Amino acid sequence: MVGQRQRQEYRLHELGDFLRTRRARLMPEAVGLPRGSRRKTPGLRRAEVAQMVGVSVDWYTWLEQGRPITPSTQVLERLVQTLRLDVNERTHLFLLAQQQPPPAQFLEPEIVSPALQHFLDQFGARPAFVSGRRWDILAWNDAGCALFGDYSQMTAPRERNTIWNIFTDPQARQFVVDWEEDARHLLAQFRSMYGRYPADAQLTELIHDLMLASPEFRAWWPDHEVQSGQEGRKALNHPQVGLLVFERLTFQVFDTPDLKVTVYTPLEEADTPRKLEQLLDQWHQHHGRQPHIPQAADNHPQAQRPEQDTVGLWLAQCGQRVEDAWVANSEVMTSYTNWCAAHGYTPKKAKGLSQALAAHGLEVGVRQWVYTGPGMRTKTRGVRGLRVHD
């Protein structure tokens, strides 16, 4: 009981600290309030937050003081709006206040960044693709098209949906070795993912249509089998080259956990690497394209396209999103320009870099104290939520 009470006190203390820091960073003019000449502390006052949320000043003060009160979901949502919290901060607030994640919000569009597409292209002869929350294929590389078909030409509804194809396409039963075992595994993984979006109308419609279209789906769905991860051996019976054997690995995108990257690494069994190269060569010849050859960046500088997202590529290799982390602008600029020089890119100037970082969802221009020597410190600007490494 003592340990439980201590954990409760710690959680409420963390909640109070979190609210104070979010309140302190929000300037009055950002919410339509006058700054005034007598304001001694940065950010909003408690009374101002309480008024906008619709609670008493005493009640909000108790919340920041870590008193044992449990705010309702409606009050927390008004706090999210008032304090301008982002998605991660909203989740953190609900976990501290109610010890459970917040209700599902409107699902954001699924967008594959240029950096992620570049990442797929670096796999060369290994088929790779990105799928979304409903298991639609959103992006791919050339090897993925050579193995599974030209995704860019698949325009019919659900033609690029993995779970729909595995259960409704007759050719899938011939293409996938041990179809039933593979289909059951995929269904269990799909079921695990579905639990995160129970209110998604399109997912509900997809499941309804699968129940009508596939006897196997209709029989297995009520079993409620769940499984995480998509990795292990994958055998395919390709109509042109015969048996192919891969090691399949799927992982989430850190910045956008709704997106998953799946990579098929050819194994030596059944002469798979040679057969896959043959399929890829045929695909390039048919489409009149040159193969994409990943190069060692230090030795083979790349020609920069005008639309190249160099900041996104640098973030993918040298940046790590860490909540509440902070890095000075000087460190960001040094790392970015060094990376561009090593990869043969022309770096953006400081203003362009800041704009690009903001477009990638980072908070720029955040002032913070830094130490310049023993007992000496100064305030400088930086980026919040980012950690930089070489």
Side-chain angles (χ1 to χ4, degrees), residues 220-283:
W220 300 339
W221 183 252
D223 294 341
H224 288 267
E225 294 292 336
V226 293
Q227 181 178 334
S228 62
Q230 297 181 47
E231 60 181 72
R233 178 188 171 92
K234 177 84 169 184
L236 302 174
N237 184 26
H238 197 279
Q240 291 178 250
V241 297
L243 180 64
L244 298 168
V245 185
F246 298 90
E247 190 73 32
R248 178 177 60 186
L249 175 64
T250 297
F251 50 92
Q252 288 181 310
V253 180
F254 178 80
D255 294 335
T256 316
D258 285 351
L259 301 185
K260 302 181 294 294
V261 177
T262 301
V263 182
Y264 283 75
T265 300
L267 301 179
E268 293 297 329
E269 298 177 53
D271 201 17
T272 300
R274 183 192 62 80
K275 293 178 182 178
L276 190 59
E277 289 285 358
Q278 177 184 336
L279 288 174
L280 189 55
D281 289 343
Q282 292 174 355
W283 192 85

Side-chain angles (χ1 to χ4, degrees), residues 110-302:
E110 297 174 314
I111 299 175
V112 176
S113 68
L116 185 52
Q117 180 63 62
H118 180 77
F119 179 68
L120 293 181
D121 292 337
Q122 297 308 301
F123 284 107
R126 285 181 287 176
F129 53 81
V130 176
S131 54
R133 68 179 71 95
R134 303 182 188 99
W135 286 38
D136 296 314
I137 305 299
L138 305 176
W140 50 86
N141 63 2
D142 290 353
C145 290
L147 179 62
F148 296 108
D150 191 350
Y151 289 115
S152 65
Q153 301 301 313
M154 299 180 188
T155 57
R158 294 179 180 161
E159 195 172 5
R160 293 207 303 256
N161 186 276
T162 302
I163 201 72
W164 177 263
N165 284 332
I166 196 71
F167 279 98
T168 65
D169 186 355
Q171 295 181 1
R173 298 171 185 266
Q174 305 299 322
F175 185 63
V176 178
V177 178
D178 297 326
W179 176 88
E180 180 173 339
E181 179 182 357
D182 191 77
R184 282 184 175 273
H185 281 307
L186 289 178
L187 181 60
Q189 293 152 13
F190 178 76
R191 183 99 204 198
S192 296
M193 179 278 313
Y194 170 70
R196 297 176 57 193
Y197 313 102
D200 188 328
Q202 293 186 48
L203 262 179
T204 302
E205 181 182 4
L206 172 62
I207 293 168
H208 173 268
D209 292 348
L210 281 165
M211 295 283 283
L212 297 177
S214 169
E216 291 85 359
F217 188 95
R218 189 163 55 248
W220 300 339
W221 183 252
D223 294 341
H224 288 267
E225 294 292 336
V226 293
Q227 181 178 334
S228 62
Q230 297 181 47
E231 60 181 72
R233 178 188 171 92
K234 177 84 169 184
L236 302 174
N237 184 26
H238 197 279
Q240 291 178 250
V241 297
L243 180 64
L244 298 168
V245 185
F246 298 90
E247 190 73 32
R248 178 177 60 186
L249 175 64
T250 297
F251 50 92
Q252 288 181 310
V253 180
F254 178 80
D255 294 335
T256 316
D258 285 351
L259 301 185
K260 302 181 294 294
V261 177
T262 301
V263 182
Y264 283 75
T265 300
L267 301 179
E268 293 297 329
E269 298 177 53
D271 201 17
T272 300
R274 183 192 62 80
K275 293 178 182 178
L276 190 59
E277 289 285 358
Q278 177 184 336
L279 288 174
L280 189 55
D281 289 343
Q282 292 174 355
W283 192 85
H284 284 138
Q285 292 173 11
H286 178 74
H287 290 80
R289 294 175 56 175
Q290 294 296 319
H292 177 88
I293 303 176
Q295 298 177 335
D298 292 339
N299 300 324
H300 302 280
Q302 306 176 50

Side-chain angles (χ1 to χ4, degrees), residues 11 48 70 93 183 243 246 314 322 336 342 364 369 371 389:
R11 177 177 61 82
E48 292 167 337
T70 303
L93 174 66
L243 180 64
F246 298 90
W314 167 74
V322 179
Y336 169 67
V364 300
W369 288 106
Y371 283 91
H389 55 83

Side-chain angles (χ1 to χ4, degrees), residues 346-386:
T346 301
K348 294 178 181 291
K349 294 184 179 180
K351 183 177 180 180
L353 174 59
S354 295
Q355 292 173 341
L357 290 170
H360 280 276
L362 290 163
E363 186 180 355
V364 300
V366 181
R367 294 175 64 85
Q368 184 163 308
W369 288 106
V370 296
Y371 283 91
T372 59
M376 301 174 60
R377 64 175 187 166
T378 184
K379 267 195 173 182
T380 186
R381 295 186 181 275
V383 181
R384 192 197 304 278
L386 179 67

Side-chain angles (χ1 to χ4, degrees), residues 10-23:
Y10 176 78
R11 177 177 61 82
L12 294 175
H13 177 75
E14 286 290 301
L15 173 61
D17 281 350
F18 179 69
L19 291 173
R20 281 192 293 274
T21 58
R22 302 308 96 171
R23 174 169 60 85

